[in-house]
């Protein structure tokens, strides 16, 4: 029979998820013991580096304004969580998609991955000011460290930072060949950017939100994507044509209403014209010892408000705005262009998006990710989901079944084993922690915590609803580097019955959970 200690590593879950084990259906008894395992990072629980990548191409003005209008609700959500006892120190930054277009003969702005203290939109509110640095410090732990005008407020300050594009292409608009992935990579990875220094912290959760209506078109400096005359007119279709494969082939130069079995092109399939997506997958999903941005990849949350990856199609477009020019000059009257993969029925002129095959691929690779549609006319739900992922990362590990209790030294305690697991260059060491009430003054130790952010589950032992998390108490100290806390508990489940029946029969209703 496998021991509890050996079962400890049987299931490893992302830190915002709960562990869930189905009861054995053949069990005749009403209460069933089961094993619940959770692995959770304990290194960073009160710092969050929050980076918004806001597309500054000309079509983004209405989407930018919608994002700004919903940000007060997003801040209110984070403040609500702080009021429940889970404050955090936030760094909030904005970067745009403009990195220029190597080899392009026309004008294409390059903001170099710099965080935007105040957006470059000329129509930005005249009186608004950005933070004192190039990113906002919003410290719920000690608001004296905030670096923006308190009378203006956090939401209005973000609005100034995120005003990156003017409507109708009349004033500032960014490069129409968007480098959404590379701009974020550059902002975080390039330590020579003076404006960005101090934003990224080793001991903070990193949350990145892309807001864009086109797919990523990041290129290497050696790419000929914008300079090769054989690729046709220089317009957005070049990005799609060399960035998407359908039925294993790059998109053709002639229009086709729909394509099947589409996916982002590999680096080789693109002719090495668009940056290898595995560069970004590695950076966001691997440990820093393997080229990633964080020691523990579970400290990275990726989210995108963008268009669906499908359907993919193309059409015959007309006019210089759609067709661009030929390499070396010359106007184009008709051309092939990529079709939208979504539009808002009630406002298709302002809310639309093109197939986000590359961006969605990278975001979807992260253990912690969320993707919603740019074609919604309200981003409230999207930001609420992103906010929930952030606050989930700050809370103790949740259990979705009530803990089985055992008697130790005359008193009852949860039947759990909690241990630090440290991986140093492939050498794994384990340190079993005591239960805090059993070992006063010994740290680290573990304890149970009532947590309103955890799902409410019916405890058949007490016939009441419980919302329980496991917390590691380090007495204010940081966990050792490359360390996670593994939690293994024997829990109680209900077999062959409604899991809520016992509590409902006792007159108890499940509490409202979350925000």
């Amino acid at each position: 029979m496998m021991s509890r200690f050996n079962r400890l590593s049987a299931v490893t879950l992302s830190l915002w998820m709960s562990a869930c084990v189905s009861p054995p259906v053949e069990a005749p008894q009403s209460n069933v013991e089961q094993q619940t395992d959770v692995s959770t990072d304990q290194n960073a629980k009160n710092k969050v580096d929050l980076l918004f990548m806001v597309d500054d191409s000309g079509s983004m003005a209405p989407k930018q304004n919608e994002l700004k209008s919903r940000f007060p609700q997003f801040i209110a959500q984070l403040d609500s969580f702080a009021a429940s006892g889970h404050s955090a120190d936030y760094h909030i930054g904005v970067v745009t998609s403009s990195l220029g277009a190597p080899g392009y003969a026309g004008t294409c702005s390059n903001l170099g991955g710099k965080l935007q203290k105040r957006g470059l939109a000329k129509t930005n509110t005249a009186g608004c000011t950005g933070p004192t640095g190039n990113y906002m410090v919003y410290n719920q732990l000690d608001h004296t460290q905030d670096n923006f005008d308190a009378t203006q407020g956090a939401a209005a300050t973000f609005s100034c930072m995120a005003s990156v594009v003017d409507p109708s292409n009349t004033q500032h608009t960014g490069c129409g060949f968007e480098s959404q992935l590379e701009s974020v990579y550059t902002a975080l990875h390039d330590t020579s950017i003076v404006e960005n220094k101090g934003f990224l912290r080793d001991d903070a959760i990193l949350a990145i939100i892309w807001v864009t209506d086109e797919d990523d078109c990041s290129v290497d400096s050696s790419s000929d994507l914008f300079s090769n005359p054989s690729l046709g007119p220089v317009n957005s279709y070049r990005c799609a044509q060399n960035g998407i494969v359908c039925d294993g082939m790059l998109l053709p130069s002639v229009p086709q209403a729909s394509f099947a079995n589409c996916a982002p092109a590999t680096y080789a399939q693109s002719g090495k014209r668009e940056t290898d997506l595995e560069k970004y997958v590695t950076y966001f999903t691997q440990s820093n010892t393997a080229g990633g941005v964080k020691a523990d990849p579970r400290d990275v949350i990726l989210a995108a408000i963008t268009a669906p990856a499908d359907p993919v199609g193309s059409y015959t477009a007309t006019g210089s705005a759609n067709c661009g020019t030929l390499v070396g000059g010359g106007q184009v009257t008709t051309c092939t262009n990529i079709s939208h993969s979504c539009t808002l029925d009630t406002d298709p002129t302002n809310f639309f998006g093109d197939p986000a095959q590359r961006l969605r691929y990278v975001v979807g690779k992260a253990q912690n990710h969320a993707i919603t549609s740019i074609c919604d006319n309200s981003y409230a739900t999207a930001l609420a989901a992103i906010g929930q992922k952030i606050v989930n990362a700050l809370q103790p590990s949740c259990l979705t079944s009530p803990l089985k209790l055992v008697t130790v030294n005359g008193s009852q305690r949860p039947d759990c084993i909690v241990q630090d697991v440290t991986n140093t260059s492939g050498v794994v060491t384990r340190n079993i922690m005591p239960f805090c009430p059993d070992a006063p003054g010994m740290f680290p130790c573990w304890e149970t915590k009532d947590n309103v952010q955890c799902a409410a589950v019916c405890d058949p032992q007490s016939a009441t609803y419980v919302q329980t998390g496991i917390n590691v108490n380090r007495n204010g100290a940081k966990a050792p580097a490359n360390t996670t806390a593994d939690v293994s508990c024997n829990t109680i489940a209900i077999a062959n019955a409604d899991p809520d029946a016992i509590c409902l029969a006792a007159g108890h209703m499940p509490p409202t959970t979350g925000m």
Side-chain angles (χ1 to χ4, degrees):
M1 178 176 178
M2 186 185 297
S3 68
R4 251 174 55 238
F5 184 83
N6 288 334
R7 285 199 303 263
L8 197 64
S9 59
V11 181
T12 301
L13 301 181
S14 300
L15 67 98
W16 81 87
M17 295 179 64
S18 301
C20 181
V21 181
S22 300
V25 295
E26 72 277 11
Q29 66 268 38
S30 59
N31 293 348
V32 180
E33 291 186 20
Q34 60 180 3
Q35 189 69 26
T36 296
D37 301 300
V38 178
S39 179
T40 179
D41 171 54
Q42 295 289 331
N43 287 313
K45 292 300 178 187
N46 64 359
K47 295 179 182 178
V48 180
D49 297 333
L50 179 58
L51 180 60
F52 284 84
M53 196 303 304
V54 183
D55 183 346
D56 62 343
S57 61
S59 62
M60 278 294 296
K63 293 97 162 178
Q64 165 194 272
N65 293 337
E66 171 58 23
L67 172 68
K68 294 191 301 181
S69 72
R70 299 299 174 182
F71 196 75
Q73 296 168 259
F74 182 72
I75 288 291
Q77 182 183 20
L78 301 182
D79 286 344
S80 173
F81 193 68
S84 70
H86 297 282
S87 299
D89 174 11
Y90 291 90
H91 285 182
I92 302 174
V94 174
V95 69
T96 80
S97 54
S98 290
L99 279 184
Y104 178 54
T107 301
C108 212
S109 59
N110 183 352
L111 299 182
K114 296 177 182 178
L115 299 181
Q116 298 299 299
K117 177 176 182 175
R118 188 178 187 274
L120 294 177
K122 306 303 182 189
T123 52
N124 205 344
T125 304
C128 79
T129 59
T132 56
N134 275 58
Y135 55 88
M136 183 164 59
V137 175
Y138 186 61
N139 191 342
Q140 297 170 330
L141 304 167
D142 180 4
H143 278 294
T144 63
Q145 298 182 33
D146 293 350
N147 69 343
F148 55 91
D149 185 347
T151 59
Q152 178 175 265
T157 302
F158 176 80
S159 180
C160 296
M161 298 163 64
S163 295
V164 297
V165 58
D166 283 301
S168 304
N169 298 326
T170 55
Q171 298 184 60
H172 174 76
T173 55
C175 182
F177 304 114
E178 291 92 331
S179 300
Q180 296 94 326
L181 290 169
E182 184 64 26
S183 65
V184 169
Y185 179 87
T186 300
L188 298 174
H189 185 265
D190 189 345
T191 57
S192 68
I193 302 176
V194 176
E195 293 84 351
N196 299 2
K197 287 190 180 299
F199 173 77
L200 183 65
R201 296 168 289 182
D202 290 339
D203 57 348
I205 293 165
L206 173 62
I208 304 166
I209 299 95
W210 283 269
V211 186
T212 178
D213 59 8
E214 292 190 56
D215 200 8
D216 172 70
C217 192
S218 298
V219 298
D220 302 330
S221 59
S222 60
S223 172
D224 69 346
L225 183 64
F226 306 112
S227 60
N228 188 333
S230 70
L231 299 179
V234 187
N235 63 7
S236 293
Y237 192 62
R238 283 201 176 200
C239 297
Q241 188 177 10
N242 292 275
I244 301 174
V245 293
C246 298
D247 286 328
M249 300 180 66
L250 293 175
L251 302 185
S253 58
V254 295
Q256 185 170 321
S258 63
F259 298 93
N261 304 314
C262 297
T266 65
Y267 190 46
Q269 287 172 326
S270 77
K272 300 183 179 181
R273 291 192 171 102
E274 297 191 27
T275 306
D276 190 351
L277 292 179
E278 297 312 313
K279 167 184 175 179
Y280 308 116
V281 171
T282 295
Y283 189 63
F284 295 126
T285 70
Q286 298 300 308
S287 70
N288 55 11
T289 58
V293 64
K294 287 291 180 182
D296 189 335
R298 290 171 300 180
D299 283 345
V300 178
I301 300 169
L302 302 186
I305 302 175
T306 190
D310 296 293
V312 176
S314 59
Y315 69 102
T316 300
T318 59
S320 59
N322 291 317
C323 294
T325 62
L326 296 173
V327 173
Q331 297 298 311
V332 182
T333 56
T334 63
C335 63
T336 301
N337 218 326
I338 193 73
S339 301
H340 299 325
S341 60
C342 72
T343 57
L344 178 64
D345 290 342
T346 56
D347 192 2
T349 302
N350 288 317
F351 289 89
F352 57 84
D354 296 345
Q357 287 278 348
R358 284 171 57 87
L359 180 59
R360 280 177 170 257
Y361 173 82
V362 172
V363 172
K365 289 293 185 179
Q367 295 184 49
N368 309 357
H369 73 269
I371 304 177
T372 53
S373 177
I374 194 75
C375 292
D376 294 338
N377 64 347
S378 171
Y379 299 157
T381 300
L383 288 177
I386 295 163
Q388 189 62 58
K389 287 205 176 292
I390 292 171
V391 297
N392 284 352
L394 297 168
Q395 69 185 26
S397 303
C398 293
L399 297 171
T400 57
S401 295
L403 290 163
K404 180 180 182 292
L405 301 178
V406 294
T407 301
V408 177
N409 297 328
S411 61
Q412 286 194 315
R413 48 155 282 188
D415 188 13
C416 297
I417 290 177
V418 181
Q419 60 179 337
D420 271 344
V421 180
T422 303
N423 189 329
T424 305
S425 301
V427 178
V428 177
T429 58
R430 299 176 181 270
N431 176 40
I432 296 178
M433 306 176 200
F435 183 48
C436 293
D438 290 347
M442 291 184 62
F443 302 102
C445 61
W446 65 274
E447 59 196 353
T448 58
K449 256 193 175 180
D450 293 334
N451 190 336
V452 296
Q453 298 302 316
C454 292
V457 295
C458 178
D459 184 353
Q461 300 161 116
S462 62
T464 59
Y465 282 94
V466 295
Q467 294 168 279
T468 305
I470 298 292
N471 186 58
V472 173
N473 186 341
R474 300 186 186 277
N475 197 31
K478 291 173 61 176
N482 304 316
T483 296
T484 57
D486 278 2
V487 180
S488 177
C489 296
N490 281 325
T491 54
I492 298 293
I494 306 295
N496 305 323
D498 180 355
D500 293 318
I502 294 174
C503 290
L504 295 176
H508 298 295
M509 297 297 292
T512 302
T513 62
M515 293 185 174

